[in-house]
Amino acid sequence: MTTPPTQVSLKRAIGPKLLILFIVGDILGTGVYALTGSVAGRIGGALWIPFLVGFVIAALTAMSYVELVTKYPRAAGAALYTQLAFRKPFLTFMVAFAVMCSGLTSASAAARAIGGRYLQEFVTIPTVVVGIIFIIAVAALNYRGVSESVKTNIVFTLIELTGLLVIILIGVYAVATGAGEPSRLLEIRADESGGLLLALLGSTALAFFAFVGFEDSVNMAEETKDPSRNFPRAIFMGVAITSTVYILVALTSSLLVDYRVLQDSDGPLLEVVKAGGLAFPPQLFAAIAMFAVANSALINMMMASRLVYGLANERVVPKALGMVDPRRRTPVVGILFTTALAIGLISSTEIAGLGETTAFLLLCVFAVVNIAVLVLRREEVDHAHYRAPTALPAIGAVMALVLASPLTGRPGNVYVIAGVLLGIGVLLWLVNWAFTRRQRHEEETV
């Protein structure tokens, strides 16, 4: 009798410092570099307010994620927590599919942004061509190994953080020299159709895209050293650092550039650099911005592939999707699967729709996760873990549902894109259900 092969496990290569940089690098990127102008178009000069409210909502949900990942330090993230809390396989699958789609739409938005305004400072190449080539390169790096991918993330994180610090320094210089228009910082654009509430909700819902990313890290739990100890500090520090940077960047942007100029630019921070009064080369900043956007794509594709791996281990999707390359110890099938889907999104959907769809899908998921925390309070585990104050997950769930609702005034095509993606999920669920049912039937008749 031959001994069955032992399943290859993932390598625990991520320490506390790497984890903090991973989270910071995941949150920073496409949102602030590419969508700041769109947020300004909805709120006006008070651009910092949506980012402040976004921080509050992100912090509430981060507490729920920290409690769950320290309680259940396994891959699959929100899907795992949904299954443990509600024991409904269909709901689990749809949450997992929504999370995976949010990672893919975010990475696809970043891939399309690579070929946009920032690249055009150097050369003009069709956006779709650039995006597809880029996402294939990300897949190759992802396959090479998590240690290599996370170390690459460190380099990219430092570069993109440098770019945002340049913006902040420009703001400090403007304040010191009396430049800019401080009165714009309290200017809220409230049109007749929606008023002040719609302006605040709509801009916050869009700005929230800049905060997504910390939830990706829980899918790296099986590759993190001592996750119960390292995750709380890493997630809280990551959210705090990026939120501070975002608010300072937003203040600088509104101080120096009218919101109408920001709104009309798909490279809004370039407008700030050009208006700042410091002799910082716009092309150098454009290069930094492309590194930032590239980093977002890398981390999101890593998350999506690990999510597929985790779901396969939980038997929510076919086990073959969880195959690990024995040499590289990376989820090779998950990488191929998610890359193919990303190429389809890049080829068919514009960046604005991809960004808004990402935020909408994750807000729905965040509502479920916040509820799951409360449901799972009745279950004890045999190790110490973080516990969030009981009222905060409830508040987080309500706020996430409000921002996911039509009250925000988000374009209708966002709901269409999300509906199509989730419809594909329903179809895949039915196919998988039919396959497993047939397999069980064949086993019973043997």
Side-chain angles (χ1 to χ4, degrees), residues 112-113 186 258 280 305 334 359 415:
R112 287 192 67 106
L186 297 177
D258 186 88
F280 193 88
S305 61
Y415 297 103

Side-chain angles (χ1 to χ4, degrees), residues 123-148:
V123 64
T124 301
I125 303 174
T127 301
V128 173
V129 173
V130 174
I132 292 175
I133 293 173
F134 170 74
I135 213 69
I136 291 173
V138 167
L141 181 59
N142 196 357
Y143 168 74
R144 181 168 176 79
V146 66
S147 180
E148 290 81 357

Side-chain angles (χ1 to χ4, degrees), residues 190-259:
D191 56 38
E192 297 180 359
S193 61
L196 177 63
L197 180 62
L198 182 60
L200 290 173
L201 288 177
S203 58
T204 301
L206 183 57
F208 193 76
F209 174 67
F211 288 94
V212 301
F214 66 85
E215 77 287 348
D216 290 352
S217 64
V218 301
N219 293 293
M220 311 298 287
E222 292 186 34
E223 295 167 275
T224 299
K225 301 172 184 177
D226 194 3
S228 294
R229 178 181 179 182
N230 290 328
F231 264 99
R233 182 175 61 176
I235 290 182
F236 292 144
M237 286 187 66
V239 172
I241 290 169
T242 53
S243 299
T244 301
V245 171
Y246 282 168
I247 292 171
L248 292 175
V249 168
L251 287 168
T252 300
S253 299
S254 290
L255 180 69
L256 293 174
V257 184
D258 186 88
Y259 79 86

